[in-house]
Amino acid sequence: MGQTTEAIPVRRAQSRLTLVAKLNSIGLSPPILACLALLALAPLFVKDEYILRLLVISLYFGSLAMTFDFTGGYINAVNFGFAAFVGLGAYAAALVAIHSTLGAWAGLLAGALITGLVGFFTGILTLPLRGIYVSLMSWFVGMTLMALATAMEGVTRGSRGLIVPSIYPNATTTAYLYILLGLFLVIYILLRLILRSPVGLAFRAIGQNYDAAQASGVDPVRYKLLNFTISSACAGLFGGFYAHYVGIVTPDVMGMGYTMEVMALSFIGGSGSLLGGVFAAFLLILCSIRSSA
Amino acid sequence: MEFRLILYGLLLILVMIFYPAGLAGLYQAAMQKIKSKKRKP
């Protein structure tokens, strides 16, 4: 009897440790879980609409920085056309939401798929190159996409912009915060699982020493292409969210300024860390906008 | 947006020169310090 009463707390402690280890394996360590819980509980304590909007924008830019870091921090390919991929996802999601009855979620998915596809073909063009040429080529592709969005007035309404309906009727900022938090969590766990797999090891090897990775039997172009496609698809997904949240998509969203902003957040947060950019986004966006208000 | 980019540019230069590992590196260094302090009797 005494043994069983003693064994129960030990079993509980063991199951708790197993749970912590499992959560750690998908990148959800206790400090990260605490930060996520704090963000999830924020709408209960924060009633100021402006601060809630700042939280959504910070999480949005943080998510983009994380996606950018997946390419820049691991395979060492800096995508200068990143904002154009986000914009493409935004346009795709907006067009599906406007012209079809499939709904906003199908639009988000379509945004991710189309951007992933464009990312794949851009990758075929750019990734066999090395060094600065990858960045330059992706920049040119981004500029082309932006010019197309401006010129194709029949589809995108040019610089007047597309008016996008909200994700569901009467969606509040709090609802958008939870939707974005959900998207962020799914993408973060997905990227972590990829990075923990042998594919992630190949990404790291390519990022650290291209020639050594190639000599070890890793096909750099294939793995870089995979990485670039995943990163582009994630950028498109977040772009789709942006379209619904802001309610209008103009070609400005594809501008170089946004790429620079995301790149800066990613590098300030720490290249090759995934979550570093997210923390940098919260720290810098909240500080800079609060000080200018 | 413009002021934000100026701030980011300055921070980016400072991080690149003085702390290339960024905020994530800072966090990891702090955690290691805490762990090593705990280990000491």
Side-chain angles (χ1 to χ4, degrees), chain A residues 267-270 273 276-277 279-281 283-284, chain B residues 15 19 21-28:
Chain A
F267 284 123
I268 292 167
S273 65
F279 286 106
L283 209 70
L284 293 176
Chain B
V15 165
Y19 213 85
L23 285 178
L26 205 68
Y27 170 76
Q28 276 170 358

Side-chain angles (χ1 to χ4, degrees), chain B residues 1-2 6-15 17-19 21 23-26 31-33 36-37 40:
Chain B
M1 174 89 177
E2 283 74 21
I6 292 168
L7 176 76
Y8 290 175
L10 279 173
L11 271 173
L12 196 59
I13 293 165
L14 289 174
V15 165
I17 295 171
F18 298 107
Y19 213 85
L23 285 178
L26 205 68
M31 290 305 281
Q32 271 183 350
K33 250 189 186 175
S36 64
K37 267 189 185 176
K40 278 180 190 171

Side-chain angles (χ1 to χ4, degrees), chain A residues 14 23 41 58 80-81 88 93 150 178 216 223:
Chain A
Q14 274 177 343
L23 287 172
L41 293 174
S58 304
F80 271 36
L88 184 67
T150 314
Y178 286 127
S216 309
Y223 281 106

Side-chain angles (χ1 to χ4, degrees), chain A residues 8 26 36 40 47 54 70 75 80 99 102 104 116 119 132 148 151 156 180 182 201 231 238 287:
Chain A
I8 289 167
I26 53 169
L36 287 171
K47 297 293 170 204
L54 276 187
F70 186 66
I75 61 163
F80 271 36
H99 298 295
L102 294 170
I132 189 82
L148 276 174
T156 63
L180 184 58
L201 194 66
S231 171
F238 289 120
C287 288

Side-chain angles (χ1 to χ4, degrees), chain A residues 34 36 101-102 122 136 147 167 172 174 186 198 202 208 217 283:
Chain A
L36 287 171
T101 52
L102 294 170
T122 309
L136 283 177
I167 231 159
T172 58
T174 307
V186 169
Q208 283 168 13
L283 209 70

